[in-house]
Amino acid sequence: MFNKILIANRGEIACRVIQTAHRLGIRCVAVYSEADRHARHVAMADEAFLLGPAPSSESYLRADKIIEVAKASGAQAIHPGYGFLSENTDFAKACEANDIVFIGPPASAIASMGSKSAAKAIMQDAGVPLVPGYHGDDQSPDLLRAEAEKCGFPLLLKAVAGGGGKGMRVVEAMSEFDEALAAAQREAKNAFGNPDMLIEKYLTQPRHVEIQVFCDNLGNGVYLAERDCSVQRRHQKVIEEAPAPGLSDETRKAMGEAAVRAAQAIDYVGAGTVEFLYDVDGSFYFMEMNTRLQVEHPVTEMITGQDLVEWQLRIANGEALPLQQDQIRLRGHALEARIYAEDPDNDFLPATGTLRYLRTPDENAHVRVDTGVVEGDEVSIHYDPMIAKLIVWDDNRERAINRMVQALEEYRISGVKTNIRFLHALADSAPFREEDLDTGFIGKHEDLLFPPAQLDENLGLVLSACFFLLRSKAEQTLPADPFSPFARQNSWRLNSQYARPMTLLSDDVQHQLSILEQ
């Protein structure tokens, strides 16, 4: 096994990798920007090196500096996490050229899946089901219009090099096609430097179901069940769960085997996720493959009892897969909610600020919190505003949802706006509990998910002040003598009345309170 690895990332995923690496006796090298000088992942690592200023382009995306740090520190391998350089073909090649193990797939596999159109051609040859449509190289407007007619409406225009919903348009009729095509091409060109489009049949009520796959250097491949990521906003996942509700064992097997075929078609090694659209009639179609560890990997860990980061490290070290397909067992149900600094009532606008108060639910066999921040940290404009991932597990889906609802009620954050109230409304909603799932879930149930605040602010301030006052008293260490005047907690003053000052923050507004104690 490696003696030392470098984590080319920050925040939650860097902390997550460090935890497993340390458990395996591997020393960890962190890298950081000037904005992350005091970050949690820096404090957790054995060594840490400054990359540069806060912008990612000058720090976490500087492949040359990261390679330089790896060589200077003696790191034998680099774990890229997710985002940043995790799916960068040139970075994987640079690691190889410098005799550093890239803890991920070969550069050739990343390249194969980097273009959605090329990936679909490979999948078609491998016998993986594809959504009807067009994914060819000829991008002439006349041909695209002809292919659109052949595909039928509604259809989806997608950037071949896209991601995150950019360069994507739903087209309901041919009369809208030219305008939608031009808009999607402009957006794709600006975001990815490539205006090429693919055309797909638009499924009106699809679910987003993805398969976790793993392959080793010996030609072995397995799938570790599936995750349902249907609850999304603007093509970004909000709540993920495993296994997918209502999926039959036959469908799981067929989808899993298709995913392994997809991975082996590109000589894949390591952790990967093959994403499918699952239609109401039970059919499924290849969407894309993410050549890295996914944000939502903890739900798979919870139902399989496996540490997927440990699998990554062992496979990158040349070992065989820890388990064969018939040895993988599933137990219970798990959900993950992404807790973000954002304002759901203002179109999910990202929020910034200082985490003035942060209390998480107690972690145990049922509740897990993956985070890269602590109280007092700043959520800046420079990076993704995810604060944490809240993961729960229980024997079945209903009990797991109840765990999630309870854990969200126990999560306390002040200083920045968050989506906790929205997540609570979503997880506790009747449609979600009843498995009424598809990728349009949030838009379809908007009234349920965005209830107006019902608590009177003045009452809320009074109740909050009482809570903090009682907690403060409960945490005090009292004298052993119960008759001592110092054992009394009534803030007694001679010839005066003590008014305890308190500052409370509500929706970014500070309120100064004076509490008179009797």
Side-chain angles (χ1 to χ4, degrees), residues 7-125:
I7 295 97
N9 217 296
R10 64 177 300 278
E12 168 270 324
I13 188 58
C15 297
R16 166 73 189 87
V17 174
I18 292 171
Q19 286 173 336
T20 290
H22 278 172
R23 181 173 60 78
L24 297 174
I26 302 170
R27 293 176 60 81
C28 295
V29 179
V31 290
Y32 62 94
S33 70
E34 290 176 355
D36 281 340
R37 187 177 296 275
H38 303 293
R40 182 171 181 251
H41 78 280
V42 173
M44 288 178 64
D46 301 286
E47 303 172 53
F49 292 80
L50 175 66
L51 289 175
S56 300
S57 60
E58 300 178 52
S59 52
Y60 296 106
L61 291 174
R62 286 293 303 272
D64 56 337
K65 286 192 174 183
I66 291 171
I67 295 289
E68 183 180 307
V69 169
K71 293 169 70 174
S73 65
Q76 300 156 296
I78 293 178
H79 195 302
Y82 51 72
F84 294 134
L85 296 169
S86 62
E87 295 179 282
N88 186 296
T89 306
D90 291 337
F91 183 59
K93 288 178 179 177
C95 289
E96 183 180 352
N98 285 276
D99 295 323
I100 299 169
V101 176
F102 179 74
I103 303 174
S108 58
I110 298 175
S112 295
M113 293 295 106
S115 165
K116 286 184 171 60
S117 57
K120 286 180 182 294
I122 294 169
M123 294 304 105
Q124 189 170 37
D125 292 341

Side-chain angles (χ1 to χ4, degrees), residues 163-435:
K166 293 183 174 65
M168 187 180 294
R169 292 290 187 281
V170 176
V171 186
E172 299 287 349
M174 181 54 78
S175 59
E176 306 171 8
F177 183 79
D178 290 346
E179 184 179 347
L181 175 64
Q185 287 175 328
R186 279 196 305 273
E187 191 171 88
K189 177 68 173 177
N190 290 335
F192 313 112
N194 184 348
D196 289 356
M197 291 283 126
L198 56 82
I199 295 171
E200 290 181 351
K201 173 187 175 184
Y202 184 65
L203 307 179
T204 56
Q205 287 185 292
R207 285 168 60 183
H208 182 144
V209 178
E210 60 188 32
I211 301 288
Q212 176 71 64
V213 295
F214 258 93
C215 299
D216 61 24
N217 286 291
L218 307 175
N220 305 307
V222 297
Y223 61 92
L224 289 91
E226 79 287 349
R227 300 183 285 256
D228 192 303
C229 308
S230 300
V231 180
Q232 305 177 3
R233 57 171 182 80
R234 295 195 292 271
H235 308 287
Q236 294 290 325
K237 300 162 188 173
V238 177
I239 286 185
E240 303 98 353
E241 56 183 308
L247 204 69
S248 68
D249 290 340
E250 293 77 18
T251 301
R252 176 176 297 114
K253 184 174 185 291
M255 198 178 285
E257 290 175 350
V260 172
R261 286 201 307 275
Q264 292 182 328
I266 56 171
D267 297 322
Y268 200 81
V269 175
T273 301
V274 183
E275 303 194 348
F276 293 98
L277 289 173
Y278 178 66
D279 208 358
V280 290
D281 63 0
S283 57
F284 60 89
Y285 307 100
F286 173 83
M287 184 166 54
E288 63 183 358
M289 181 176 186
N290 289 299
T291 55
R292 53 173 167 77
L293 195 67
Q294 292 280 88
V295 177
E296 58 272 21
H297 76 273
V299 292
T300 298
E301 294 183 324
M302 297 292 263
I303 66 166
T304 61
Q306 302 300 313
D307 183 331
L308 300 191
V309 174
E310 180 177 346
W311 279 44
Q312 284 188 295
L313 294 170
R314 292 194 179 283
I315 290 168
N317 192 49
E319 299 178 30
L321 286 170
L323 296 175
Q324 297 179 6
Q325 192 64 59
D326 60 1
Q327 295 175 305
I328 295 169
R329 301 284 183 267
L330 307 185
R331 52 186 285 274
H333 199 93
L335 297 101
E336 175 181 297
R338 303 186 186 192
I339 296 177
Y340 273 92
E342 62 184 11
D343 185 0
D345 297 321
N346 189 16
D347 198 28
F348 294 95
L349 189 71
T352 59
T354 301
L355 298 170
R356 298 175 183 273
Y357 182 84
L358 175 62
R359 294 294 182 275
T360 65
D362 291 336
E363 294 191 65
N364 50 51
H366 295 274
V367 179
R368 166 178 163 180
V369 179
D370 284 13
T371 186
V373 298
V374 295
E375 186 175 277
D377 280 356
E378 181 184 358
V379 180
S380 75
I381 61 172
H382 299 292
Y383 313 112
D384 183 88
M386 187 169 71
I387 295 171
K389 302 184 311 197
L390 174 62
I391 308 106
V392 300
W393 175 92
D394 215 310
D395 293 329
N396 56 52
R397 187 173 188 267
E398 180 183 5
R399 293 178 65 175
I401 290 175
N402 292 340
R403 293 272 184 191
M404 176 62 76
V405 171
Q406 178 66 32
L408 286 167
E409 289 173 0
E410 295 173 2
Y411 224 114
R412 301 279 187 270
I413 298 176
S414 176
V416 295
K417 288 184 179 294
T418 74
N419 63 342
I420 290 177
R421 187 164 67 96
F422 166 75
L423 291 171
H424 184 278
L426 195 162
D428 202 27
S429 67
F432 185 76
R433 287 182 176 273
E434 294 165 5
E435 302 179 13

Side-chain angles (χ1 to χ4, degrees), residues 461-478:
L461 290 171
V462 171
L463 293 175
S464 299
C466 290
F467 167 79
F468 286 114
L469 180 62
L470 292 172
R471 195 189 69 170
S472 173
K473 289 185 174 183
E475 293 175 349
Q476 287 181 11
T477 302
L478 300 179

